[in-house]
Amino acid sequence: MSNWLSVMGMLFLTGIGSKAWFSAHFTHAWVLWSFAALLGANMAYFAATGNRSAQKSGMLVIVSALFAYLIVTGGENNTGPLWLYVFPPLLFYLSSLRVGTAVLILCATIAAIVFAFPGLPMVTAEYHTDFKIRFFSTLFFESIFCYVLEASRLKARNELVKQADSLERAARTDELTGISNRRDMQSRLQTEFSRYQRTGHHFSIALIDLDLFKNINDSAGHDAGDEVLKQFTDLAQSVIRQSDVIARWGGEEFLILLPDTSLLQALALAERLRSEVSSHNFEFRDTPLPVTISAGVCSIAKSGTLDELLRQADAHLYNAKETGRNRIAPRVRTYDHPLPEPIET
């Protein structure tokens, strides 16, 4: 958009400069052509650097100088100040409300000084009192109008951005527990797998299922089941490391992504979590609820693809369920020692 504004400005200044030339206002024509050249140079700078912020700042400086010139000299037939009416919308578009207001006040101050002291050096224009009053009245009204419109536009834009962010978070977050959902975890797995392919950094996963969870729903109600899911989530987040990510995989199943973690380290963490859950007092409305977990653990080092990784973790989970529940597969000794920290590479 800035480039289009620059092109239109160059064409306009070139055309008005040509008109001034044929009207024998040669100095005025050369000045207008010079401003057109400055806009072209500003575009060339942007094309070379890609710095859009500098391009907008340069355009503001050029346009401000142009309008100051038109006010001081009057342009042709003292109509130069009229072009200041295009300045407020352009100014607020190219800058922030605060900067735009400051620059607009500066330009209006320059116009007021020129109007009040026509005998100043370089001031060659003289304006009637009626023109001055009408000029400032209409400019003030237009400036306020443009400010309100731009403020409304920015407010609406910010609200849309917040809504989009909120919807994006909702699409990636489990509503009940507040942790990642399956969709978000699949994205994280793909990212971690890509990192593994680039750098060779291993990672592991733990697929967890709450044992006999249906019995809790049937005996104590779904509200009790929901409370167990939330309490388990809080407990799991207190056990895993800050770099680990837990997601609700579906129903009473959870999946933990363990970056930079070997199979042995992942088994140790899963066993620690199993032990914590087994000893934790889950309750709902002062009624204790027996809760244990089973987990299947797998490392990417043992798999070729993400699908294979998930299939192996699911197979290990099934094995843990079939062999008695409240256990980890592959089998690991009961948790007794702190989880070994992963080696940073």
Side-chain angles (χ1 to χ4, degrees), residues 72-85:
V72 169
T73 64
E76 289 189 68
N77 302 318
N78 281 1
T79 59
L82 299 180
W83 295 109
L84 194 59
Y85 291 133

Side-chain angles (χ1 to χ4, degrees), residues 20-297:
W21 180 270
F22 288 111
S23 299
H25 296 108
F26 303 116
T27 301
H28 183 58
W30 279 113
V31 171
L32 294 179
W33 290 337
S34 298
F35 278 108
L38 288 174
L39 287 176
N42 191 49
M43 283 186 60
Y45 175 80
F46 170 72
T49 64
N51 191 333
R52 188 168 295 280
S53 177
Q55 183 196 27
K56 288 184 177 181
S57 299
M59 187 182 298
L60 279 178
V61 171
I62 294 169
V63 174
S64 299
L66 171 62
F67 285 136
Y69 162 77
L70 291 174
I71 290 172
V72 169
T73 64
E76 289 189 68
N77 302 318
N78 281 1
T79 59
L82 299 180
W83 295 109
L84 194 59
Y85 291 133
V86 306
F87 198 37
L90 178 65
L91 187 59
F92 288 129
Y93 171 76
L94 293 175
S95 65
S96 64
L97 288 175
R98 181 179 299 179
V99 173
T101 302
V103 175
L104 194 57
I105 290 175
L106 176 62
C107 291
T109 301
I110 294 174
I113 293 173
V114 171
F115 287 175
F117 306 100
L120 289 175
M122 296 187 298
V123 176
T124 59
E126 291 188 15
Y127 304 97
H128 294 295
T129 301
D130 286 346
F131 176 87
K132 298 174 186 178
I133 294 173
R134 292 173 183 175
F135 173 77
F136 277 114
S137 298
T138 53
L139 180 64
F140 177 78
F141 175 80
E142 184 199 16
S143 300
I144 295 297
F145 186 69
C146 290
Y147 182 95
V148 171
L149 285 180
E150 182 65 11
S152 300
R153 186 189 71 83
L154 290 175
K155 181 180 178 181
R157 176 185 175 277
N158 291 336
E159 289 177 352
L160 287 174
V161 170
K162 288 181 181 179
Q163 289 179 7
D165 290 341
S166 178
L167 290 174
E168 179 64 19
R169 284 194 298 272
R172 294 181 174 274
T173 303
D174 178 62
E175 183 178 2
L176 176 66
T177 60
I179 59 177
S180 295
N181 59 15
R182 188 184 187 107
R183 174 189 175 189
D184 186 53
M185 178 55 78
Q186 287 174 329
S187 175
R188 290 176 182 269
L189 285 170
Q190 186 59 58
T191 299
E192 194 63 30
F193 183 68
S194 298
R195 189 172 80 100
Y196 162 71
Q197 290 179 311
R198 293 194 313 270
T199 66
H201 287 203
H202 289 182
F203 68 94
S204 300
I205 63 170
L207 185 60
I208 300 167
D209 186 81
L210 275 62
D211 297 325
L212 302 175
F213 183 76
K214 185 176 183 299
N215 292 345
I216 296 176
N217 282 331
D218 292 342
S219 61
H222 288 280
D223 288 344
D226 289 347
E227 183 61 27
V228 166
L229 293 174
K230 290 189 284 188
Q231 290 183 28
F232 168 75
T233 299
D234 293 339
L235 179 60
Q237 288 181 310
S238 70
V239 172
I240 64 177
R241 303 162 305 177
Q242 187 174 3
S243 59
D244 302 331
V245 181
I246 182 171
R248 189 176 178 190
W249 196 242
E252 66 272 19
E253 278 193 347
F254 294 80
L255 190 143
I256 301 178
L257 171 62
L258 305 162
D260 297 311
T261 304
S262 67
L263 178 61
L264 178 61
Q265 292 169 330
L267 288 169
L269 184 142
E271 174 57 27
R272 176 183 172 186
L273 179 58
R274 185 208 63 78
S275 177
E276 293 284 348
V277 171
S278 180
S279 61
H280 185 76
N281 295 321
F282 290 86
E283 60 179 33
F284 177 71
R285 295 175 182 171
D286 299 325
T287 301
L289 299 171
V291 178
T292 60
I293 63 170
S294 300
V297 181

Side-chain angles (χ1 to χ4, degrees), residues 325-343:
R325 300 186 180 86
N326 191 24
R327 63 189 60 204
I328 307 300
R331 293 296 301 273
V332 61
R333 290 188 301 173
T334 302
Y335 170 76
D336 294 314
H337 305 289
L339 172 67
E341 291 294 332
I343 299 174

